[in-house]
Amino acid sequence: MEEIVYLCFFAFLAGFIDSVVGGGGLIQLPALLIFLPGVPLPTLFGTGKFAGIAGTTAAMFRYVRTVKINYLAILPAAVTAFVFSFLGARALSHLDANLLKPLILLLLILVAIYTFIRKDFGSLHAPKLTDTKEKLYGLLIGAAIGFYDGFFGPGTGSFLIFIFIGIFGFNFLAASAAAKVVNVATNLSALLYFIWKGHVLYEVAIPMALCSIIGSQLGTRTALKRGTGFVRALFLVVVTGIILKFAYDTYGTVGQDFARLSSTVLEWAGRKG
């Protein structure tokens, strides 16, 4: 019971962060690893997905009621993301996901630097694609991000937000809302796979899911109330956290020095911007 209480707290915190800018898995999965030692890794992933999708779905419905979403672009992305997330999960058994870490680390650093320098990035909602291009790009992005989420996962929400701002011209709130729709699709695909294989601890997952929903509702309400500036700031904090974790996981003690250097460069870039 004590472990479940702690896990519920971290599920609440993950739900709050994930509802705004994604990255809740960086909080929830380490907590599961710490408080449920000895549990097989697939079962931890399945339990975390069960809790995570509850919060993400709750946040999605709240955004949908408040933020105008361009379904012409989002629904094709969600459909292909659902399919390719399953394919990515299957590919994981044949390929080494660790090979992707240096590339993902570099991409995240570039995302953070660009967002630091471009102070107006995501501040205005000005869609810039035609309906045909939105559908096409939605299909392609859904396939790429869906496969990545099923195959590897960390940073998916942050990548989606950056793409919807940079390519589609959404602001941070609209991008976050769109990212939730696609993220629900990828998470649902993975969760169905874990349920099929029996990799969900329901006695832990259900209370965590309830706390994740509460956290996501509070996070979504805060984001809608405080606007794009708040979402942008939290986005940068979460992306920086992902960078630090990736650097440590990829390069060990060398990664710590690299992470400190990256943090210094990002701070410098922010002041110059």
Side-chain angles (χ1 to χ4, degrees), residues 109-153:
I109 291 173
L110 294 176
V111 165
I113 291 176
Y114 185 83
T115 307
F116 262 122
I117 294 175
R118 287 284 305 276
K119 297 298 183 182
D120 60 339
F121 185 69
S123 60
L124 298 175
H125 186 68
K128 52 190 178 183
L129 299 177
T130 63
D131 290 347
T132 302
K133 284 187 176 181
E134 282 184 338
K135 292 177 183 177
L136 177 60
Y137 286 12
L139 289 170
L140 295 175
I141 289 168
I145 293 294
F147 186 88
Y148 170 75
D149 194 27
F151 181 71
F152 196 54

Side-chain angles (χ1 to χ4, degrees), residues 101-217:
K101 284 187 176 181
L103 175 60
I104 301 304
L105 178 60
L106 176 61
L107 290 175
L108 285 167
I109 291 173
L110 294 176
V111 165
I113 291 176
Y114 185 83
T115 307
F116 262 122
I117 294 175
R118 287 284 305 276
K119 297 298 183 182
D120 60 339
F121 185 69
S123 60
L124 298 175
H125 186 68
K128 52 190 178 183
L129 299 177
T130 63
D131 290 347
T132 302
K133 284 187 176 181
E134 282 184 338
K135 292 177 183 177
L136 177 60
Y137 286 12
L139 289 170
L140 295 175
I141 289 168
I145 293 294
F147 186 88
Y148 170 75
D149 194 27
F151 181 71
F152 196 54
T156 297
S158 300
F159 278 131
L160 281 169
I161 291 173
F162 184 80
I163 288 170
F164 282 126
I165 294 173
I167 297 178
F168 288 81
F170 295 175
N171 63 19
F172 266 104
L173 277 179
S176 186
K180 295 296 167 293
V181 177
V182 179
N183 229 169
V184 166
T186 60
N187 286 338
L188 178 60
S189 180
L191 178 59
L192 290 175
Y193 180 81
F194 286 124
I195 291 175
W196 176 41
K197 293 295 185 178
H199 292 310
V200 178
L201 292 176
Y202 292 102
E203 65 273 21
V204 177
I206 291 175
M208 286 182 68
L210 294 175
C211 291
S212 180
I213 291 173
I214 296 172
S216 73
Q217 291 295 290

Side-chain angles (χ1 to χ4, degrees), residues 64-112:
V64 166
R65 292 197 304 267
T66 310
V67 179
K68 185 178 180 180
I69 296 178
N70 187 347
Y71 290 102
L72 286 175
I74 306 310
L75 291 183
V79 171
T80 53
F82 180 89
V83 174
F84 278 81
S85 178
F86 183 84
L87 295 177
R90 293 293 299 272
L92 182 60
S93 60
H94 303 289
L95 301 172
D96 184 3
N98 289 323
L99 297 176
L100 285 179
K101 284 187 176 181
L103 175 60
I104 301 304
L105 178 60
L106 176 61
L107 290 175
L108 285 167
I109 291 173
L110 294 176
V111 165

Side-chain angles (χ1 to χ4, degrees), residues 239-256:
V239 170
T240 301
I242 298 173
I243 290 171
L244 298 178
K245 184 180 186 302
F246 263 70
Y248 182 79
D249 289 348
T250 306
Y251 300 107
T253 55
V254 176
Q256 290 179 312

Side-chain angles (χ1 to χ4, degrees), residues 19-47:
S19 67
V20 184
V21 292
L26 291 176
I27 299 171
Q28 190 162 264
L29 184 57
L32 285 164
L33 289 168
I34 292 171
F35 293 105
L36 296 179
V39 174
L41 194 59
T43 303
L44 293 181
F45 273 97
T47 302

